[in-house]
């Protein structure tokens, strides 16, 4: 048997099924589309759910894919064995109501034996215990002896996921030989050892489960098969595990070179090598699909994998940042099947570098604190870290709880999980995510699922703002109906529509739909599965019926203003790339008739100078009146033109490319101006951070900008009126008032000081001596703190050398002040400590320097006690 490489096997599989009239589709993104049941795509079938449920019509009844997948249910076990991993590729062939068991089994056998060249005598199929049809095919048609066909129960050979489509399975096992076995005489298919490896699973979706255990035969029977590419490579290359197959071995060996370690010499070392090897694969693919590190959802999964890899690098003795170097090896090994890795590598490297730098700062502090906590536990004989301490590490120092748990487990310790959950409930909820009621696809259950999947809509709004069409479907908020009448809320579907549905960051059109009998106000336009476009709103008058001819009229002003803001985002992105660098990628946008919001990848706040440069570039391109053109072309041809694509977006074979002169070129399905001059002007209102490595600009153009300036002008006029001047003299008037205010403030302070002095009268007769040091403690009724300080300085000068303590009752609040000369300080006096000691008498607190201190309080009745105590405190100081 020839030892094919991973990339060869992937190509062989897809080519084989293409020869069987299957459409070879590119891998879907790891980010699930319209599926709230998953954080990440975890199987080849997951992104194809809409085709299996009939909610979308597949591009062909026969499809084949090699789907990138991530499973994180057993992250803690990754590395501890050679079996566990988070990232894998799943080969699959699928039939949507076309072929069934006979063809599926025959092609399984043909590919494994004739294309790959596996020994037929080492292949063992299994079937569901009651699936006589599959058993007959394997035995009678393929020719497998009955003793080599295994019947297994529901747990092993029946696929179902709650209610919905389900069916029996037929798996294929490969006998890898005695060297992989357990040596037991009864070792056979189903044994827990590594000898008999399951490599292919045929799922025959032929039943519908009502959720109560009742099964009915499906009219449309489907085929869903899956075969792990890495697992197939293990068999073909005759190696122990996925860490030994060609592409992953190259990565594993790179880890070893960086660490200066040998694989399979020490268990702990092997664990760290495997963790890093696996996790950097997942991280690289996740970032290429637009997933960014965060503290919740799939972003948290990414951050957790990155940080585990970083920590295990430390355990191996790898110095400094090292993950980017390994990411390059991942890309080199996988770009043959996933060219987007190479296209996005600069961005992948930037995200990894930033996250690794941040974590390296976190981990040193966290490890130090955790070591101290472990020492305390050992000293006290405890083996459980309190939940509060674990949460403090996480919340205060940013140290991940899973790393705390993992480090403790290595020494036989654990965390008080209940205590941690209690302390971290809010964060746990965000990380876990909460989902409402969902259907089989994981999407919110809505009335739209009841619509015939063959219903679709065509968007004609690039060329038309009004259009005639026919109503195909009407719904209320909870059911499909034949008509909507006066006042009812609902959704209207038509064959062709000029209304743009919210997508690509551009908010939906609104407007009116008219029939001979009724008027419907469109408040929102939505895009649904299967290419359906729904017009959401209410009936203003009359009635709308299915089959009615309608006139669809888009709100022209809203569309025009939205188009100006949308076109401005294209100019903005190119300007940002010119000023900040080519690492800038669009990370999201929101455009409507009032303003534009643009999120982009950048790792620091923009300076005023950078913002001004960007603003000037955009305005210059507006003044240049660049022609705006849209063209449909094959996606590969579009990429060659240098057109910018939205990061992480899944594009079809044909894409729409919008060009603005020679300045900007992007993939875009939105609506735009015909010439940049129509935008009029562009103004950035704010620039902020919204996530790790993501910044946000909010800006205005056209009418929105004029409205902004109108509002500023109104505020200026109101301000001028208050200042009793004209708008053009506001600055001059304010400058004069500020100077006048300073002068008046100085006069007020002088007067207050004089009043305070007069209120005290002559206090020189109250001066006493404490151990030879002059001491004055007196009241200054009504004086504020500034007045007390001024009085203190004056009295201190009169004393020559000594200590002054003053107290005042101003508006029911107490002010205390103490001051000491240099000689008094040298003799031991300390104003700060003195104030601290007497502040409690007035129900307050304070402190300060040895020569000057102050305090406040809420109990005027305690002033006399405070002044008497001051003398006692000073006696103890001298």
């Amino acid at each position: 048997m020839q030892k094919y490489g991973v990339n060869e096997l992937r190509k062989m599989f897809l080519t084989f099924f293409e020869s069987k009239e299957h459409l070879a589709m590119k891998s879907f993104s790891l980010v699930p589309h319209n599926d709230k049941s998953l954080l990440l795509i975890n199987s080849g079938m997951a992104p194809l759910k809409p085709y299996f449920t009939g909610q979308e019509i597949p591009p062909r009844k026969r499809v084949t894919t090699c789907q990138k997948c991530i499973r994180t249910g057993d992250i803690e076990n990754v590395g501890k064995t050679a079996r566990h991993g988070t990232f894998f590729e799943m080969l699959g062939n699928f039939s949507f109501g076309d072929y069934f068991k006979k063809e599926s089994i025959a092609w399984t056998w043909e590919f494994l034996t004739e294309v790959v060249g596996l020994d037929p005598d080492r292949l063992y199929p299994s079937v569901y215990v009651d699936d006589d049809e599959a058993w007959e095919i394997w035995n009678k048609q393929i020719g497998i002896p009955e003793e080599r066909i295994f019947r297994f129960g529901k747990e092993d050979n029946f696929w179902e996921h709650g209610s919905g489509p389900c069916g029996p399975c037929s798996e294929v096992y490969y006998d890898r030989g005695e060297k992989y076995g357990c040596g037991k005489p009864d070792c056979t298919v189903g044994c827990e050892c590594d000898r008999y490896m399951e490599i292919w699973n045929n799922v025959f979706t032929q039943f519908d489960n009502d959720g109560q255990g009742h099964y009915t035969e499906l009219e449309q029977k489907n085929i869903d098969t899956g075969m792990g590419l890495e697992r197939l490579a293990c068999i073909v290359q005759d190696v122990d595990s996925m860490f030994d197959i060609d592409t992953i071995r190259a990565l594993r060996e790179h880890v070893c070179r960086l660490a200066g370690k040998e694989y399979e010499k020490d268990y702990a070392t092997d664990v760290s090598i495997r963790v890093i090897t696996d996790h950097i694969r997942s991280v690289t693919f996740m970032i290429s699909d637009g997933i960014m590190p965060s503290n919740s959802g799939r972003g948290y999964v990414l951050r957790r994998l990155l940080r585990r890899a970083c920590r295990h690098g430390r355990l191996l003795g790898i110095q400094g940042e090292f993950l980017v170097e390994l990411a390059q090896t991942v890309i080199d090994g996988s770009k043959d099947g996933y060219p987007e890795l190479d296209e996005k590598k600069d961005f992948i490297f930037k995200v990894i570098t930033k996250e690794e730098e941040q974590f390296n700062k976190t981990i040193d502090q966290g490890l130090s604190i955790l070591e101290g906590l472990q020492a305390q536990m050992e000293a006290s004989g405890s083996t459980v870290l309190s939940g509060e301490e674990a949460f403090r590490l996480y919340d205060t120092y940013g140290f991940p709880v899973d790393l705390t748990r993992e480090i403790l487990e290595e020494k036989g310790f654990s965390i008080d999980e209940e205590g941690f959950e209690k302390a971290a409930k809010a964060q746990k909820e965000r990380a876990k995510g909460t989902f409402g009621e969902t259907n089989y696809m994981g999407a919110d259950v809505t009335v739209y699922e009841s619509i015939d999947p063959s219903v679709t809509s065509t968007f004609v709004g690039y060329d038309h703002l009004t259009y005639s069409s026919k109503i195909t479907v009407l719904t209320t908020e909870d059911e499909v109906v034949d008509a909507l009448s006066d006042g009812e809320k609902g959704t209207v579907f038509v064959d062709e529509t000029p209304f743009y549905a919210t997508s690509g960051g551009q908010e939906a059109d609104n407007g009116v739909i008219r029939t001979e009998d009724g008027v419907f106000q469109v408040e929102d336009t939505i895009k649904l599965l299967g290419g359906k476009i729904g017009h959401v709103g209410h009936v203003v008058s009359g009635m709308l019926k299915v089959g009615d001819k309608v006139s669809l009229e888009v709100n022209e002003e809203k569309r025009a203003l939205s188009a100006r803001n949308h076109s401005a985002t294209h100019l903005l992105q190119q300007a940002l790339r010119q000023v900040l660098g080519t690492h800038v990628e669009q990370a999201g946008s929101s455009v409507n008739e009032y303003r534009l919001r643009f999120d982009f990848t950048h790792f620091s706040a923009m300076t005023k100078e950078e913002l001004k440069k960007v603003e000037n570039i955009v305005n210059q391109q507006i003044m240049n009146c660049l022609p705006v053109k849209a063209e449909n072309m094959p996606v590969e041809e579009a990429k060659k033109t240098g057109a910018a694509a939205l990061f992480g977006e899944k594009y079809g074979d044909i894409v729409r490319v919008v060009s603005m002169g020679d300045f900007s070129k992007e993939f875009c399905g939105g609506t735009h101006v015909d010439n940049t001059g129509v935008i009029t002007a562009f103004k950035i209102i704010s620039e902020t951070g919204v996530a790790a490595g993501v910044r946000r600009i909010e800006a205005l153009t056209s009418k929105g900008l004029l409205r902004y300036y109108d509002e500023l002008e109104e505020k200026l006029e109101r301000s001028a009126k208050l200042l009793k001047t004209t708008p053009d003299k506001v600055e001059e008037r304010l400058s004069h008032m500020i100077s006048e205010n300073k002068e008046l403030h100085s006069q007020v302070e002088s007067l207050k000081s004089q009043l305070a002095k007069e209120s005290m009268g002559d206090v020189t007769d109250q001066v006493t001596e404490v151990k030879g040091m002059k001491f004055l403690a007196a009241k200054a009724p009504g004086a504020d703190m500034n007045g007390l300080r001024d009085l203190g300085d004056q009295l201190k000068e009169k004393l020559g050398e000594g200590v002054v303590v003053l107290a005042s009752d101003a508006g029911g609040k107490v002010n205390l002040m103490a001051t000491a000369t240099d000689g008094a300080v040298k003799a031991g006096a300390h104003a700060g400590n003195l104030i601290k000691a007497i502040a409690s008498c007035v129900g307050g607190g304070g402190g300060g320097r040895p020569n000057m201190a102050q305090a406040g309080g809420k109990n005027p009745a305690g002033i006399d006690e405070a002044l008497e105590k001051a003398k006692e405190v000073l006696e103890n100081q001298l």
Side-chain angles (χ1 to χ4, degrees):
M1 177 175 62
Q2 188 170 335
K3 295 186 176 182
Y4 298 107
V6 167
N7 291 313
E8 287 178 288
L9 288 169
R10 185 192 303 113
K11 191 172 182 180
M12 287 162 63
F13 182 87
L14 296 175
T15 300
F16 173 77
F17 279 100
E18 279 184 302
S19 74
K20 306 299 183 185
E21 300 177 353
H22 287 63
L23 173 66
M25 299 180 71
K26 291 182 180 178
S27 173
F28 291 82
S29 169
L30 284 166
V31 179
H33 176 66
N34 196 43
D35 188 345
K36 293 183 179 180
S37 67
L38 294 175
L39 272 183
L40 296 157
I41 291 298
N42 60 4
S43 69
M45 176 271 228
L48 302 175
K49 283 182 183 179
Y51 303 149
F52 282 111
T53 60
Q55 290 184 300
E56 277 197 48
I57 297 173
R60 198 180 295 175
K61 287 191 172 185
R62 299 180 181 187
V63 164
T64 184
T65 63
C66 181
Q67 176 64 43
K68 47 194 173 185
C69 304
I70 287 183
R71 291 182 184 170
T72 57
D74 56 0
I75 285 180
E76 290 80 7
N77 290 321
V78 173
K80 293 178 181 177
T81 74
R83 286 184 173 189
H84 292 89
T86 57
F87 179 85
F88 62 97
E89 297 178 58
M90 184 61 73
L91 302 167
N93 58 287
F94 309 91
S95 167
F96 310 108
D98 188 12
Y99 63 84
F100 203 48
K101 295 181 185 179
K102 179 180 177 182
E103 295 86 351
S104 180
I105 291 173
W107 291 335
T108 297
W109 188 255
E110 182 181 350
F111 179 77
L112 291 177
T113 59
E114 297 181 25
V115 178
V116 178
L118 298 184
D119 182 352
D121 293 334
R122 298 173 76 170
L123 292 171
Y124 294 77
S126 72
V127 297
Y128 178 52
V129 64
D130 293 333
D131 192 355
D132 294 333
E133 182 185 0
W135 194 93
E136 289 285 332
I137 294 171
W138 280 115
N139 180 242
K140 307 298 183 189
Q141 297 182 29
I142 304 301
I144 307 294
E146 60 181 74
E147 63 272 14
R148 280 179 43 207
I149 306 172
F150 292 77
R151 290 182 185 263
F152 292 139
K154 213 167 191 183
E155 186 176 334
D156 296 303
N157 275 63
F158 196 94
W159 185 91
E160 60 185 334
H161 185 76
S163 61
C166 58
C169 308
S170 177
E171 299 174 323
V172 179
Y173 294 80
Y174 182 77
D175 180 2
R176 307 184 70 202
E178 292 182 6
K179 64 179 179 179
Y180 294 104
C182 57
K184 297 177 182 176
D186 60 345
C187 179
T188 186
V189 172
C191 182
E192 290 297 315
C193 71
D194 292 335
R195 176 171 177 175
Y196 295 91
M197 181 182 282
E198 182 234 317
I199 55 172
W200 197 318
N201 187 15
N202 291 266
V203 178
F204 310 125
T205 311
Q206 63 187 99
F207 301 113
D208 181 59
N209 179 359
D210 66 358
Q212 306 299 318
H214 302 116
Y215 299 90
T216 55
E217 197 89 8
L218 287 170
E219 284 186 27
Q220 176 181 300
K221 295 179 175 62
N222 303 315
I223 289 292
D224 160 24
T225 80
M227 175 165 59
L229 176 58
E230 292 86 352
R231 190 173 287 195
L232 177 63
C234 284
I235 290 170
V236 171
Q237 296 175 24
D238 193 22
V239 293
D240 285 349
S241 76
M242 69 175 187
F243 292 98
D244 302 304
I245 63 177
D246 58 331
T247 52
I248 303 179
R249 184 180 66 247
L251 181 59
R252 186 199 78 200
E253 290 174 348
H254 193 166
V255 175
C256 291
R257 288 196 301 275
L258 289 175
K261 306 285 186 182
E262 282 189 64
Y263 189 56
E264 295 184 327
K265 294 290 184 181
D266 172 74
Y267 175 72
T269 298
D270 289 351
V271 168
S272 293
I273 291 170
R274 287 193 289 259
V275 166
I276 297 169
T277 301
D278 170 79
H279 287 6
I280 191 60
R281 293 179 77 216
S282 291
V283 162
T284 303
F285 275 90
M286 289 173 78
I287 297 172
S288 77
D289 279 339
I291 299 170
M292 295 289 287
S294 72
N295 285 329
S296 63
R298 60 184 66 94
Y300 179 71
V301 174
L302 172 61
R303 175 163 281 167
R304 186 179 179 192
L305 293 169
L306 266 165
R307 289 179 168 183
R308 277 193 101 224
C310 286
R311 179 188 170 247
H312 280 276
R314 291 288 187 95
L315 293 177
L316 289 177
I318 301 176
Q319 300 298 314
E321 284 83 37
F322 65 98
L323 293 179
V324 163
E325 194 176 330
L326 295 174
Q328 180 65 66
T329 300
V330 175
I331 293 169
D332 290 341
S334 300
K335 64 184 178 183
D336 182 59
Y338 306 97
E340 67 270 18
L341 291 173
D342 204 37
E343 294 168 8
K344 298 295 181 185
K345 70 177 181 180
D346 290 342
F347 181 73
I348 294 169
F349 296 164
K350 194 96 175 181
V351 174
I352 291 175
T353 299
K354 187 75 174 180
E355 189 71 11
E356 197 171 4
E357 286 174 353
Q358 288 178 343
F359 184 60
N360 280 338
K361 294 173 185 175
T362 296
I363 197 170
D364 288 330
Q365 190 175 21
L367 285 172
S368 175
I369 294 167
L370 187 54
E371 284 173 8
L373 292 171
Q374 286 177 300
Q376 291 174 22
M377 291 165 67
E378 288 171 350
S380 65
S382 171
T383 60
V384 180
L385 179 68
S386 75
E388 290 78 9
E389 288 290 3
F391 182 67
R392 184 173 69 90
L393 266 172
Y394 167 76
D395 192 47
T396 306
Y397 301 101
F399 200 74
V401 67
D402 47 280
L403 276 192
T404 301
R405 187 181 294 114
E406 186 174 307
I407 291 167
L408 290 173
E409 284 175 357
E410 289 169 4
K411 292 195 174 183
F413 295 161
S414 62
I415 292 174
D416 172 11
E417 299 288 352
E418 188 175 336
F420 180 86
E421 289 296 332
K422 185 178 178 182
K425 186 177 179 182
Q427 285 87 338
K428 288 291 284 183
E429 282 300 311
R430 284 199 295 274
K432 182 176 63 177
T434 54
F435 305 122
E437 183 186 358
T438 61
N439 61 9
Y440 168 68
M441 288 184 65
D444 291 336
V445 178
T446 68
V447 63
Y448 305 127
E449 294 184 9
S450 303
I451 299 172
D452 187 327
S454 65
V455 172
T456 188
S457 312
T458 302
F459 176 64
V460 296
Y462 295 132
D463 305 310
H464 304 278
L465 290 177
T466 61
Y467 207 77
S468 296
S469 190
K470 185 178 73 174
I471 296 177
T472 55
V473 176
L474 292 171
T475 79
T476 63
E477 293 177 293
D478 51 22
E479 63 178 331
V480 177
V481 294
D482 292 326
L484 289 173
S485 57
D486 200 343
E488 278 194 296
K489 294 180 180 180
T491 306
V492 179
F493 294 86
V494 298
D495 286 323
E496 297 167 308
T497 178
F499 282 79
Y500 184 83
T502 299
S503 62
Q506 181 176 332
E507 290 185 16
D509 286 331
N510 59 29
V512 175
I513 298 176
R514 303 180 193 275
T515 72
E516 286 186 2
D517 303 320
V519 177
F520 183 88
Q521 183 70 47
V522 179
E523 297 156 1
D524 192 13
T525 310
I526 57 175
K527 188 178 288 186
L528 299 168
L529 289 172
K532 289 180 274 290
I533 297 174
H535 308 80
V536 182
H538 68 280
V539 181
V540 176
S541 62
M543 178 184 288
L544 279 73
K545 304 183 295 298
V546 172
D548 279 354
K549 289 184 178 180
V550 293
S551 172
L552 300 108
E553 303 165 12
V554 172
N555 179 331
E556 292 189 27
E557 183 183 35
K558 184 179 189 299
R559 166 70 77 85
L561 293 174
S562 296
R564 293 174 192 181
N565 283 329
H566 194 167
S567 294
T569 63
H570 284 225
L571 298 177
L572 172 59
Q573 178 169 353
Q574 184 57 28
L576 286 168
R577 289 173 69 86
Q578 287 187 7
V579 173
L580 302 179
T582 56
H583 65 276
V584 169
E585 297 269 3
Q586 180 175 341
S589 66
S590 178
V591 172
N592 60 24
E593 68 268 41
Y594 303 114
R595 54 104 184 104
L596 66 92
R597 189 181 76 207
F598 186 77
D599 296 349
F600 59 99
T601 53
H602 187 55
F603 298 89
S604 60
M606 291 179 67
T607 64
K608 287 184 179 179
E609 293 75 17
E610 288 171 336
L611 287 168
K612 196 63 186 173
K613 280 183 184 177
V614 168
E615 201 174 81
N616 289 341
I617 290 171
V618 174
N619 280 311
Q620 184 60 55
Q621 298 310 319
I622 291 170
M623 292 171 62
N624 289 344
C625 296
L626 303 175
V628 179
K629 296 180 180 178
E631 182 182 0
N632 292 324
M633 62 179 72
V635 64
E636 295 304 325
E637 182 182 329
K639 288 181 179 179
K640 290 175 184 176
T641 69
L646 181 62
F647 196 58
E649 183 71 15
K650 182 78 175 178
Y651 292 101
D653 294 333
I654 302 297
V655 293
R656 185 168 180 263
V657 176
V658 176
S659 303
M660 298 183 182
D662 293 327
F663 181 74
S664 167
K665 185 175 289 188
E666 292 187 32
F667 290 25
C668 185
T671 63
H672 290 277
V673 298
D674 294 327
N675 186 291
T676 59
V678 177
I679 301 170
T680 312
F682 173 84
K683 176 68 179 173
I684 294 174
I685 304 302
S686 67
E687 189 271 349
T688 56
V690 292
V694 180
R695 308 294 300 176
R696 170 174 292 170
I697 279 178
E698 298 202 43
L700 302 171
T701 74
S702 185
K703 189 174 179 179
L705 182 53
L706 292 175
R707 185 186 294 109
Y708 172 74
Y709 285 134
D710 283 343
E711 290 171 357
L712 282 182
E713 188 175 15
E714 287 176 12
K715 289 177 183 178
L716 181 59
E717 287 176 351
R718 288 197 298 270
S719 299
K721 190 175 181 180
L722 289 170
L723 295 168
K724 296 181 179 179
T725 186
T726 56
D728 60 316
K729 298 289 180 65
V730 166
E731 185 178 5
E732 182 182 329
R733 178 68 174 142
L734 279 173
S735 179
H736 175 71
M737 288 180 70
I738 290 168
S739 298
E740 191 177 63
N741 186 56
K742 284 182 180 177
E743 186 177 337
L744 290 171
H745 181 73
S746 178
Q747 292 177 17
V748 168
E749 290 299 314
S750 178
L751 286 170
K752 284 165 67 176
S753 178
Q754 184 65 31
L755 286 170
K757 187 175 181 182
E758 290 175 1
S759 70
M760 288 182 68
D762 186 3
V763 294
T764 54
D765 60 341
Q766 298 180 35
V767 176
T768 61
E769 284 197 1
V770 177
K771 292 185 178 180
M773 183 66 66
K774 291 179 181 179
F775 173 68
L776 173 61
K779 299 177 186 177
D784 62 12
M785 191 60 76
N786 287 334
L788 289 185
R789 284 196 294 266
D790 289 342
L791 284 171
D793 288 340
Q794 294 172 31
L795 293 169
K796 192 167 62 172
E797 284 183 21
K798 287 185 178 182
L799 290 182
E801 289 291 347
V803 176
V804 177
V805 178
L806 300 176
S808 72
D809 172 9
K813 293 183 179 180
V814 179
N815 291 316
L816 291 175
M817 191 282 307
T819 182
T821 62
D822 291 343
V825 172
K826 288 179 181 177
H830 192 294
N833 292 338
L834 190 153
I835 279 288
K836 279 183 185 178
I838 69 174
S840 61
C841 297
V842 294
R849 303 185 304 275
N851 64 340
M852 169 65 191
Q854 62 189 46
K858 299 177 182 179
N859 178 25
I863 288 177
D864 290 336
E865 181 189 351
L867 295 177
E868 289 175 16
K869 188 175 181 180
K871 187 174 183 179
E872 297 174 18
V873 174
L874 182 61
E875 285 180 347
N876 292 328
Q877 289 183 343
L878 296 175

